[in-house]
Amino acid sequence: MAKRVSHRDSMCGVARPLDAIGDWWSLLIVRDAFDGLRRFGEFQKSLGLAKNILSARLRNLLAHGIMETVPAADGSPYQEYVLTEKGRGLFPLLVALRQWGEDFFFEPDEAHVLLVDRKNGLPVRRLELRAQDGRVVGAEDTMVRLPAGKGIA
Amino acid sequence: MAKRVSHRDSMCGVARPLDAIGDWWSLLIVRDAFDGLRRFGEFQKSLGLAKNILSARLRNLLAHGIMETVPAADGSPYQEYVLTEKGRGLFPLLVALRQWGEDFFFEPDEAHVLLVDRKNGLPVRRLELRAQDGRVVGAEDTMVRLPAGKGIA
DNA sequence: TCGGATGGTTTTAATTTGAAACCATCGTGT
DNA sequence: ACACGATGGTTTCAAATTAAAACCATCCGA
């Protein structure tokens, strides 16, 4: 937690979120939350991590406003963990991660889960970054503009 | 490295990439590589991490085929680290991370770097996930379809 | 041939992680 | 009322990881 940030990362738009997600367990928890999991035990069973670690990660997600606890849901006396709006904002990131995984981590013939449109069951399109005029742009077509002129951040 | 994966993550399209990126330092290295950094010393200065850690991370990125070394570039007798196609495939993920950061980690009046179109300097659009028919879809509109029918993965 | 720049590795301490044991609360059965 | 299992954690302690610093090697110009 509270990872050390480099001298220039105080202003960096990439490092700041990384500090909040902290580690990959957190992102897997968020993924499971998108899948509808809400209870401590559900996350633990799904991810197979130690309870103390899950506890720490959930605490961190709560502290960063990515998840929140709600008092009940089905009458149980326990609390449940649900995504906040900030947490739901991670959806594109998860999709990007998933699509990258599909592209490079599965053999061509290897079956893998597919993200599909709920309406008709068809796979979703690939994420594309577009310029204001609608052109699809890649990394080569973009640059970062600095607000005041310091590092390369 | 070689993080333990849960019992079901062998098939999960999200956990697999996470194993390759490993930790957030790796992603910051990739980000810097997109920014044009290529040399060991450049990464070290930019990120401010210990040299042994940078060394280990670069080794891991090489092992996963995310970066590769090229013999020279400007005559120096040293090697340089550049992104492979697989590494360049991380661009949408970085954009997603950056946009999420812009949304939730900066005060409304706080200046921050902006990803802009190189052609005209205008900010790029937000990433949007679209269905086959072009509709913009959110998390609620999607689900994962399993290849054979097991867990919820 | 000295000395600095570059690109690492080794060594050692501090932090984090993880497994297991432990504990507390609630609900149920009897 | 009381035992007991399920749930949701915390504590303890060993193992792995990370970080800082020191060290080492190579190339290069003066």
Side-chain angles (χ1 to χ4, degrees):
Chain A
M1 240 57 77
K3 188 167 295 181
R4 221 112 144 50
V5 291
S6 80
H7 60 287
R8 86 166 199 220
D9 282 335
S10 52
M11 63 168 59
C12 167
V14 169
R16 232 185 258 209
L18 289 183
D19 189 57
I21 309 286
D23 69 314
W24 288 117
W25 278 130
S26 302
L27 203 53
L28 287 173
I29 292 169
V30 169
R31 194 263 329 242
D32 276 352
F34 273 117
D35 283 351
L37 273 54
R38 321 180 108 226
R39 298 281 284 261
F40 187 95
E42 289 180 312
F43 292 115
Q44 210 233 323
K45 186 151 69 75
S46 165
L47 298 172
L49 43 34
K51 298 207 289 182
N52 53 350
I53 304 297
L54 176 57
S55 187
R57 290 301 168 274
L58 285 172
R59 233 191 324 268
N60 189 246
L61 290 170
L62 295 176
H64 278 94
I66 293 167
M67 302 189 81
E68 63 188 341
T69 52
V70 297
D74 57 341
S76 326
Y78 306 112
Q79 59 185 352
E80 302 187 338
Y81 298 87
V82 299
L83 293 168
T84 61
E85 191 203 341
K86 183 175 180 177
R88 287 190 298 275
L90 283 168
F91 182 64
L93 193 151
L94 280 171
V95 173
L97 189 62
R98 182 185 294 278
Q99 292 188 343
W100 184 64
E102 287 168 1
D103 290 343
F104 296 101
F105 287 87
F106 290 86
E107 302 304 318
D109 60 334
E110 189 178 3
H112 59 270
V113 298
L114 222 50
L115 191 65
V116 300
D117 187 350
R118 224 179 250 285
K119 274 242 169 64
N120 51 26
L122 293 174
V124 298
R125 288 191 192 173
R126 296 194 54 81
L127 282 176
E128 290 170 334
L129 183 64
R130 291 178 185 274
Q132 290 295 347
D133 56 23
R135 279 172 17 255
V136 175
V137 290
E140 336 66 68
D141 307 312
T142 67
M143 52 182 297
V144 284
R145 186 202 288 299
L146 304 168
K150 277 239 2 239
I152 194 178
Chain B
M1 244 56 78
K3 186 167 295 180
R4 239 114 131 58
V5 292
S6 80
H7 60 288
R8 85 166 200 223
D9 282 333
S10 53
M11 63 167 63
C12 168
V14 170
R16 234 185 256 209
L18 289 184
D19 188 57
I21 309 288
D23 69 313
W24 289 116
W25 277 129
S26 302
L27 203 53
L28 287 174
I29 292 169
V30 169
R31 193 255 340 229
D32 276 353
F34 273 117
D35 283 350
L37 273 55
R38 321 180 108 224
R39 297 281 284 261
F40 187 94
E42 290 180 311
F43 292 114
Q44 210 235 323
K45 186 150 70 73
S46 165
L47 298 171
L49 44 34
K51 298 206 288 184
N52 54 349
I53 303 298
L54 175 57
S55 187
R57 291 301 169 275
L58 285 173
R59 232 189 327 267
N60 189 246
L61 290 170
L62 296 176
H64 278 93
I66 292 167
M67 302 189 82
E68 63 188 342
T69 51
V70 298
D74 57 340
S76 325
Y78 305 112
Q79 60 186 352
E80 302 187 339
Y81 299 87
V82 299
L83 293 168
T84 62
E85 191 203 340
K86 182 174 181 177
R88 288 190 297 275
L90 283 167
F91 182 63
L93 193 150
L94 280 170
V95 173
L97 189 61
R98 181 184 296 277
Q99 292 189 343
W100 184 64
E102 288 169 0
D103 290 342
F104 296 101
F105 287 86
F106 289 86
E107 303 303 320
D109 60 334
E110 189 178 3
H112 59 271
V113 298
L114 222 50
L115 191 65
V116 299
D117 187 349
R118 224 179 249 285
K119 275 241 167 65
N120 51 28
L122 292 174
V124 298
R125 289 191 191 172
R126 296 194 53 83
L127 281 177
E128 289 170 334
L129 182 64
R130 291 180 184 273
Q132 290 294 348
D133 56 24
R135 281 172 15 255
V136 175
V137 290
E140 339 61 72
D141 307 312
T142 67
M143 52 182 297
V144 284
R145 185 201 291 298
L146 305 168
K150 279 260 311 272
I152 194 178

